[in-house]
Amino acid sequence: MSKSSAANASEAAQGTTSASGGGVVVRGDTLTIQTHERIELTDVTDRVVTVVRDSAVAEGIVSLWSMHTTFAVFMNESQKALHADIKRLLESMVDRDADWMHNDPDHSDCDRLNADAHLRAMLLGHSLTLQISGGDLVLGQWQRVLVAELDGPRSRTLRVQVMGIADRTT
Amino acid sequence: MSKSSAANASEAAQGTTSASGGGVVVRGDTLTIQTHERIELTDVTDRVVTVVRDSAVAEGIVSLWSMHTTFAVFMNESQKALHADIKRLLESMVDRDADWMHNDPDHSDCDRLNADAHLRAMLLGHSLTLQISGGDLVLGQWQRVLVAELDGPRSRTLRVQVMGIADRTT
Amino acid sequence: MSKSSAANASEAAQGTTSASGGGVVVRGDTLTIQTHERIELTDVTDRVVTVVRDSAVAEGIVSLWSMHTTFAVFMNESQKALHADIKRLLESMVDRDADWMHNDPDHSDCDRLNADAHLRAMLLGHSLTLQISGGDLVLGQWQRVLVAELDGPRSRTLRVQVMGIADRTT
């Protein structure tokens, strides 16, 4: 059994990308998040809102994509107590020390001992699509965009792609 | 540790929103779902299909977004027996009475005792993106769009944003 | 209690669909995946990349949609050891033989005994939205698009819908 993982040749350019056609705008931006703990939740809502407003899209969608296998993006409430509960749930659902094959040098060439991080990220998700209306991100009262570091601390990238119809009055 | 949760200033306008440019249409609608139990699954497929058809989009996508942290949207089969199994699985994966910090007044200013609901909704997801082709929602034979109330009964909102190329013959 | 599941009248046409307007392109394709085991992960990244490149979209998004309730699509690393760990986790989170009501002929008209497959697919997800930039799929170094057969072996369909602004130089 091969110990290696399929890898991609190159990553998309960092920074802002943009295109437009017939009133439709597509704008991409990258957000860098520096994490400090092995497991850590960060509220990135305000940063996403900024990208949305800068795009001048009035009605459309925004796709959020984690650029990493062990870093997730999802929505929930931003409260320290709830974040402690999320961490506790992830630790109970995926046992860090359960003799995962991904952590076994006889079967895997990855030496980060992070099988748990891959599995927890898989449960949370790497892709989140939100809506834009009236030029702003659509969010319920308590909804915040959260990213979850599962194998930190590291520097992480979240890519934000806005697509929609521009506000012609701007 | 702050007991509070970050809140957003205002919610997107209810009702229908619409924009178009160069043959591309973006149309937003809100569906209201009145739930009757604490945990309850509802099949909203027909209502989503109606929004899609009303949009006159021929080819595109439809983004579904729950406007709540404890109300999820996902796809699976709509069968009473399976829905009972889903409820059972959620209850086994997340113990309602596990001394969650979100339920502890020493650490949280939320008094709904709904930590389990936040965690279960997180596992199911709040965002679902489907496709539109030939003017209709793309669904496999047994696929239905389901919403999951995790902290009911309440009145809930699901926002539907259609984006795509309009059918010029309509 | 009704034993039956809601069914949809017809499925979207197989093959390629396409529309364009004002510089925006929407292109749909279907990928067929033949699975060989009851639980099996397949890396479909290269096939998705081909669809993206063939669409000539420079900046946009690509929606991936599983056409089945017991077949999931998600992103993670493509390594045999990790895939064995994912299988093990799914088996521990959802017990195949736990007297699920969906498998009980007194409550369900489905005779596939696949309640576990429905529940595991629900946890992994049926919808994945990625981004396109510079004419290519945006992926981090180790990120691969994976599909998970949970009730195989069978022939499965994954629908790929690309939407974005075409590269006018092509």
Side-chain angles (χ1 to χ4, degrees):
Chain A
M1 179 168 86
S2 166
K3 297 184 188 182
S4 63
S5 300
N8 303 309
S10 64
E11 293 196 16
Q14 294 270 326
T16 304
T17 55
S18 186
S20 61
V24 170
V25 164
V26 179
R27 180 181 164 122
D29 262 295
T30 52
L31 303 185
T32 301
I33 297 103
Q34 178 61 53
T35 63
H36 310 93
E37 306 288 334
R38 187 167 192 266
I39 301 177
E40 180 181 324
L41 301 190
T42 305
D43 180 341
V44 296
T45 313
D46 294 343
R47 298 176 69 182
V48 173
V49 165
T50 297
V51 173
V52 167
R53 288 177 180 165
D54 285 354
S55 73
V57 163
E59 306 292 327
I61 61 160
V62 51
S63 154
L64 303 181
W65 178 256
S66 161
M67 293 293 291
H68 312 273
T69 51
T70 55
F71 182 73
V73 57
F74 65 104
M75 185 284 292
N76 218 289
E77 209 165 299
S78 191
Q79 185 208 45
K80 283 190 156 63
L82 183 64
H83 291 185
D85 293 336
I86 290 171
K87 182 168 185 273
R88 176 183 164 196
L89 180 71
L90 292 172
E91 288 169 340
S92 75
M93 290 176 70
V94 182
D95 179 0
R96 184 175 182 183
D97 305 312
D99 290 331
W100 300 109
M101 216 176 277
H102 181 69
N103 296 344
D104 183 347
D106 288 343
H107 296 285
S108 170
D109 58 9
C110 174
D111 59 2
R112 289 190 64 88
L113 299 178
N114 66 356
D116 62 324
H118 282 275
L119 300 170
R120 291 166 182 170
M122 181 181 77
L123 293 174
L124 293 181
H126 299 84
S127 165
L128 191 68
T129 300
L130 296 99
Q131 304 171 4
I132 300 168
S133 190
D136 222 333
L137 190 62
V138 171
L139 285 173
Q141 183 181 18
W142 301 107
Q143 293 189 324
R144 304 293 287 178
V145 178
L146 304 175
V147 288
E149 171 63 83
L150 283 322
D151 188 32
R154 295 169 74 161
S155 176
R156 299 297 207 170
T157 301
L158 181 74
R159 199 169 187 280
V160 182
Q161 185 96 317
V162 174
M163 183 162 68
I165 291 175
D167 185 353
R168 293 161 201 275
T169 62
T170 61
Chain B
M1 178 168 86
S2 166
K3 299 184 187 181
S4 64
S5 300
N8 303 309
S10 65
E11 294 197 15
Q14 294 271 327
T16 303
T17 55
S18 186
S20 63
V24 170
V25 164
V26 179
R27 180 182 164 120
D29 262 296
T30 52
L31 304 184
T32 302
I33 298 103
Q34 177 61 53
T35 63
H36 310 92
E37 306 287 335
R38 184 167 196 267
I39 300 177
E40 181 181 323
L41 301 190
T42 306
D43 180 342
V44 295
T45 313
D46 295 342
R47 298 175 69 182
V48 174
V49 164
T50 297
V51 174
V52 167
R53 289 176 179 165
D54 286 353
S55 73
V57 164
E59 306 291 329
I61 60 160
V62 50
S63 155
L64 303 180
W65 178 256
S66 161
M67 293 294 291
H68 312 273
T69 51
T70 56
F71 182 73
V73 58
F74 65 105
M75 185 284 292
N76 218 288
E77 211 165 297
S78 190
Q79 184 208 46
K80 281 191 156 62
L82 182 64
H83 291 185
D85 293 336
I86 290 171
K87 183 169 184 273
R88 176 184 164 197
L89 179 71
L90 292 172
E91 288 170 343
S92 76
M93 290 177 70
V94 182
D95 179 0
R96 185 176 182 182
D97 305 310
D99 291 331
W100 299 108
M101 215 175 278
H102 180 71
N103 297 344
D104 182 349
D106 287 344
H107 296 285
S108 169
D109 57 10
C110 174
D111 60 2
R112 289 190 65 86
L113 298 177
N114 67 354
D116 62 323
H118 283 277
L119 299 170
R120 292 166 182 168
M122 182 182 75
L123 293 173
L124 293 181
H126 299 83
S127 165
L128 191 68
T129 300
L130 295 99
Q131 303 171 5
I132 300 167
S133 189
D136 223 333
L137 191 63
V138 172
L139 285 173
Q141 184 180 18
W142 301 106
Q143 293 188 326
R144 304 294 286 178
V145 178
L146 305 175
V147 288
E149 171 63 82
L150 284 323
D151 187 32
R154 292 169 75 161
S155 175
R156 298 298 207 171
T157 301
L158 181 74
R159 199 169 186 280
V160 183
Q161 185 96 317
V162 174
M163 183 161 68
I165 292 175
D167 185 352
R168 293 163 201 275
T169 62
T170 60
Chain C
M1 177 168 86
S2 166
K3 299 184 186 182
S4 65
S5 300
N8 303 310
S10 66
E11 294 198 15
Q14 293 272 325
T16 303
T17 54
S18 187
S20 62
V24 170
V25 164
V26 179
R27 180 182 165 121
D29 262 295
T30 52
L31 304 185
T32 300
I33 298 102
Q34 177 62 53
T35 63
H36 310 92
E37 307 286 335
R38 186 167 192 268
I39 300 177
E40 181 181 322
L41 301 189
T42 305
D43 180 339
V44 295
T45 314
D46 294 344
R47 299 177 69 182
V48 174
V49 165
T50 297
V51 173
V52 167
R53 289 176 179 166
D54 286 354
S55 72
V57 163
E59 307 291 328
I61 60 160
V62 50
S63 154
L64 304 180
W65 178 257
S66 161
M67 293 294 292
H68 312 272
T69 50
T70 57
F71 181 72
V73 57
F74 65 104
M75 184 284 291
N76 218 289
E77 211 166 296
S78 191
Q79 185 208 44
K80 283 191 155 62
L82 183 64
H83 292 183
D85 293 336
I86 290 170
K87 184 169 185 272
R88 175 183 164 196
L89 180 71
L90 292 172
E91 288 169 342
S92 75
M93 290 176 71
V94 182
D95 179 0
R96 186 175 181 182
D97 305 311
D99 291 331
W100 300 108
M101 215 175 278
H102 181 70
N103 296 345
D104 182 347
D106 288 343
H107 296 284
S108 169
D109 58 8
C110 174
D111 61 2
R112 290 189 64 85
L113 299 178
N114 66 356
D116 63 323
H118 282 277
L119 299 170
R120 292 166 182 169
M122 182 181 76
L123 293 174
L124 292 181
H126 299 84
S127 165
L128 190 68
T129 300
L130 296 98
Q131 304 171 6
I132 300 168
S133 189
D136 223 333
L137 190 62
V138 172
L139 286 172
Q141 184 182 17
W142 300 107
Q143 294 189 324
R144 304 293 287 179
V145 178
L146 305 175
V147 287
E149 171 64 82
L150 283 324
D151 187 33
R154 293 170 74 162
S155 176
R156 298 297 207 169
T157 301
L158 180 74
R159 199 171 186 280
V160 184
Q161 185 97 315
V162 175
M163 184 162 68
I165 292 174
D167 185 352
R168 294 164 201 275
T169 62
T170 61

